[in-house]
Amino acid sequence: MWLCYNVPYMKSAFIELIGRPSTGKSSLLNRICGHKISIISNVPQTTRNKVRGIYTEKRGQLVFIDTPGFHSSEKKFNTYLKDLAVTTLNEVDIVLYLLDVTRAIGHEEETLISLMKNFKQKLVIGLNKIDVTPNYEQQFQTLLKTSFDDAPKLSLSCKNGQGVQQLLSVLFEKAPEGELYYPDEYYTDQTPEFRISEIVREKVILNTRQEVPHAVYIEIADMEMRQAENTLWVRGFICVERESQKGIIVGKGGDTIKKIMMQAREDVAVLFPYSLELDFRVKVRSKWKRNDMLLKKLIM
Ligand SMILES: Nc1nc2c(ncn2[C@@H]2O[C@H](COP(=O)(O)OP(=O)(O)OP(=O)(O)O)[C@@H](O)[C@H]2O)c(=O)[nH]1
Ligand SMILES: [Mg+2]
């Protein structure tokens, strides 16, 4: 169903969310769109893809593109993630640059600030996590004022929703006039396969520590809808770099993998109107982060 609001004109825009790892980009996307679209964790570089979240109301439609955290590193894997975030900047109407006010501005943030200067005309700045550090003004506002005098700056908390409505007003003000890009009931354009694999990856991240979350990618081998049982069967692999990581994910007597599957099933069940059976095995794929063909498939 398409919206037929009685307003003089509609607005619509593509908006990229960019910022250092863990600034809260995915949390903001989910809060605005009202659904769990992008996975979230306190591990840097949780997001590895361009994840679209769609927000529609009487003023029009905002299509948010969540991107991987901007991390200065020369490693191949990080370069892929960074390039994805940077190349998207040229494709969108608005750049929403998110900073984490609980962390000091270091070299990485300064690199991003320099990059953002090329997009001043379409820039909106969000200062997130003010629930933790409400008195951040001195450190951030002075720097941002000298670098981006004209860009709107919003104080935000994705945790309690503070500032989010004001942010939406600013974004609609900045958005060009235009028709809706998606039907109004859409809140994402992700395939079921991608959503399931991301939720499984999130549960792996939440149940493991240290290098394991960064060593993992998910491969869906097969999805089969069994109509008679109204059940979707999903089989796949949790791929890691080393045998030791496989052991951590499987856990003692298979405890960890069972927990991961149970948590994933609970989250996935909310998304789909049918039952789900998840059957995932852990396998070792050493050096996968150096495999260009695989990275091109995984990071897009
Ligand atoms: N206290 C507080 N925590 C927040 C807020 N927003 C996000 N977080 C937390 O910050 C961590 C990182 O959040 P994400 O949304 O995954 O951050 P991200 O920028 O998408 O991270 P990457 O995908 O790794 O770049 C999570 O533990 C969130 O719960 C906020 O406003 N306040
Ligand atoms: Mg993210």
Side-chain angles (χ1 to χ4, degrees), residues 68-238:
F70 184 95
H71 175 49
S72 301
S73 156
E74 296 310 313
K75 285 187 181 161
K76 190 193 279 270
F77 181 69
N78 288 304
T79 307
Y80 266 87
L81 295 178
K82 197 163 67 179
D83 286 353
L84 194 70
V86 172
T87 54
T88 309
L89 291 166
N90 294 306
E91 300 163 7
V92 293
D93 303 297
I94 299 172
V95 173
L96 176 49
Y97 170 33
L98 202 64
L99 292 98
D100 175 347
V101 297
T102 67
R103 282 188 276 166
I105 293 176
H107 176 66
E108 207 165 58
E109 199 75 78
E110 279 162 9
T111 309
L112 251 180
I113 289 171
S114 300
L115 178 65
M116 290 300 107
K117 285 181 184 165
N118 301 318
F119 300 93
K120 272 185 179 175
Q121 299 303 320
K122 54 180 181 178
L123 193 66
V124 174
I125 297 171
L127 296 140
N128 190 33
K129 306 196 188 179
I130 57 164
D131 55 290
V132 181
T133 311
N135 305 315
Y136 67 89
E137 303 271 331
Q138 213 177 352
Q139 190 197 357
F140 285 84
Q141 293 291 35
T142 319
L143 179 128
L144 294 175
K145 192 159 173 46
T146 47
S147 300
F148 309 107
D149 200 12
D150 294 333
K153 298 168 194 72
L154 286 297
S155 302
L156 301 170
S157 167
C158 296
K159 192 171 183 183
N160 63 24
Q162 227 178 315
V164 173
Q165 287 310 317
Q166 291 90 319
L167 171 67
L168 286 172
S169 298
V170 167
L171 294 174
F172 273 116
E173 230 165 77
K174 233 178 153 53
E177 280 180 39
E179 300 293 315
L180 307 188
Y181 289 103
Y182 295 91
D184 67 320
E185 70 269 26
Y186 279 36
Y187 61 88
T188 185
D189 63 353
Q190 294 167 27
T191 60
E193 182 174 338
F194 179 75
R195 300 189 82 184
I196 293 167
S197 62
E198 282 290 272
I199 286 172
V200 171
R201 192 164 65 83
E202 181 188 67
K203 302 312 172 197
V204 173
I205 295 173
L206 297 179
N207 286 284
T208 57
R209 284 185 294 141
Q210 291 168 352
E211 90 287 359
V212 181
H214 297 286
V216 167
Y217 77 89
I218 307 298
E219 192 181 293
I220 305 273
D222 172 32
M223 298 211 324
E224 183 196 342
M225 185 68 205
R226 294 192 184 163
Q227 300 290 356
E229 303 159 28
N230 193 33
T231 301
L232 179 68
W233 280 79
V234 186
R235 291 177 208 88
F237 297 97
I238 298 169

Side-chain angles (χ1 to χ4, degrees), residues 26 29-31 33-40 46-54 66 185-205 217-220 223 232 234-235 237 260-261 263-274 276 278 280 297-298 300:
S26 303
L29 176 98
N30 290 352
R31 180 168 270 281
C33 298
H35 294 272
K36 180 173 179 147
I37 299 170
S38 220
I39 63 167
I40 290 172
T46 296
T47 305
R48 292 179 179 168
N49 303 78
K50 289 203 277 191
V51 178
R52 284 184 191 186
I54 304 156
D66 189 11
E185 70 269 26
Y186 279 36
Y187 61 88
T188 185
D189 63 353
Q190 294 167 27
T191 60
E193 182 174 338
F194 179 75
R195 300 189 82 184
I196 293 167
S197 62
E198 282 290 272
I199 286 172
V200 171
R201 192 164 65 83
E202 181 188 67
K203 302 312 172 197
V204 173
I205 295 173
Y217 77 89
I218 307 298
E219 192 181 293
I220 305 273
M223 298 211 324
L232 179 68
V234 186
R235 291 177 208 88
F237 297 97
I260 289 168
M261 285 300 112
Q263 292 174 355
R265 207 176 289 118
E266 273 174 20
D267 275 22
V268 173
V270 177
L271 302 178
F272 301 107
Y274 32 76
L276 268 134
L278 302 181
F280 278 73
K297 210 174 102 187
L298 289 176
M300 51 191 279

